[in-house]
């Protein structure tokens, strides 16, 4: 009973530590906060996107999705991969913290960090760029956090199964590919139809569709896109738990 009761506290303590490590990592903050905000401000001020209407209105949904992807898929994956390489995770494996508990702690830390990113993106859009949402910000935020959990699971799947250097290269490569094929920073209609269709079945494209729909009209929810994000999250979580190794 004592062990069962202490499990949530163990996970919470680990999540707190993970959040501190993420915040203290300057390179991580550049990826998770600098890139999304940089894309939002640059493409809002410099008129280079082939979009109709207000560029900020077009960019905000995609930037929210990019924030979730940068945090979960890149920052969490790379940090965890090198923690395993340097033996940090091997030491954690000797504690009462289980593999599942560790993965949940990582995901919780990512959700808290992503919440701060979402606030920053919305604040810059509203206060700095004069954006006014036309739909439900709450739905878009909840979808973004759910997407962040999905990308975190994908990142941990890679970090738990691959060498640190391969995780570093692969997470960045996948990030760039998803950014290009998912229509997050430009109109998906500009992509070839087969590529756009495939992108909507990926977690990045699906999340972008959900946030775009939510912010376009009050009460509008892209159920299909939300289902894609959830399915990817479930599959990635199972894969991360089953393949995760404390050392290697």
């Amino acid at each position: 009973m004592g062990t069962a009761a202490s499990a949530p506290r163990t996970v919470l303590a680990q999540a707190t530590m993970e959040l501190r490590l993420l915040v203290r990592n300057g390179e991580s903050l550049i990826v998770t906060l600098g890139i999304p905000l940089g894309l939002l401000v640059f493409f809002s001020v410099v008129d280079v996107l082939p979009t109709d209407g207000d560029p900020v209105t077009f960019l905000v949904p995609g930037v929210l999705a990019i924030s979730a992807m940068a945090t979960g898929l890149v920052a969490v994956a790379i940090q965890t991969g090198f923690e395993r390489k340097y033996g940090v995770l091997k030491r954690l494996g000797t504690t009462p913290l289980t593999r599942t508990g560790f993965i949940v702690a990582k995901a919780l830390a990512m959700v808290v960090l992503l919440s701060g990113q979402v606030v920053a993106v919305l604040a810059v859009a509203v206060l700095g760029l004069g954006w006014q949402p036309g739909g439900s910000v709450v739905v878009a935020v909840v979808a973004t956090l759910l997407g962040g959990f999905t990308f975190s699971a994908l990142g941990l799947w890679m970090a738990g199964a691959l060498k640190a250097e391969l995780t570093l290269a692969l997470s960045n490569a996948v990030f760039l590919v998803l950014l290009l094929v998912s229509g997050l920073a430009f109109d998906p209609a500009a992509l070839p139809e087969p590529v756009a269709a495939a992108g909507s079945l990926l977690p990045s494209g699906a999340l972008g569709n959900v946030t775009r729909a939510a912010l376009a009209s009050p009460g509008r929810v892209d159920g299909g896109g939300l289902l894609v994000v959830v399915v990817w999250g479930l599959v990635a979580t199972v894969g991360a738990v089953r393949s995760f190794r404390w050392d290697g």
Side-chain angles (χ1 to χ4, degrees), residues 51-146:
T51 59
D52 297 326
D54 180 20
V56 184
T57 299
F58 171 78
L59 284 167
V60 169
V63 169
L64 290 176
I66 291 171
S67 297
M69 188 164 58
T71 304
L73 187 61
V74 180
V76 171
I78 294 174
Q79 181 193 64
T80 307
F82 280 95
E83 284 175 346
R84 187 158 67 88
K85 176 181 179 179
Y86 295 133
V88 175
L89 301 190
K90 187 175 182 179
R91 296 186 183 92
L92 283 176
T94 64
T95 71
L97 186 68
T98 64
R99 291 187 301 173
T100 302
F102 174 75
I103 290 172
V104 171
K106 281 277 189 182
L108 287 175
M110 180 281 310
V111 168
V112 174
L113 179 61
L114 181 57
S115 298
Q117 294 174 254
V118 168
V119 171
V121 168
L122 295 178
V124 169
V126 173
L127 301 178
L129 301 172
W131 173 68
Q132 293 295 327
S136 174
V137 173
V138 173
V139 173
V141 170
V142 171
T144 301
L145 297 180
L146 178 61

Side-chain angles (χ1 to χ4, degrees), residues 20-40:
R20 289 175 180 170
L21 293 174
L22 285 170
V23 171
R24 291 173 181 173
N25 190 321
E27 294 84 353
S28 174
L29 289 180
I30 290 175
V31 172
T32 59
L33 192 59
I35 291 178
L37 286 178
L39 288 172
L40 175 62

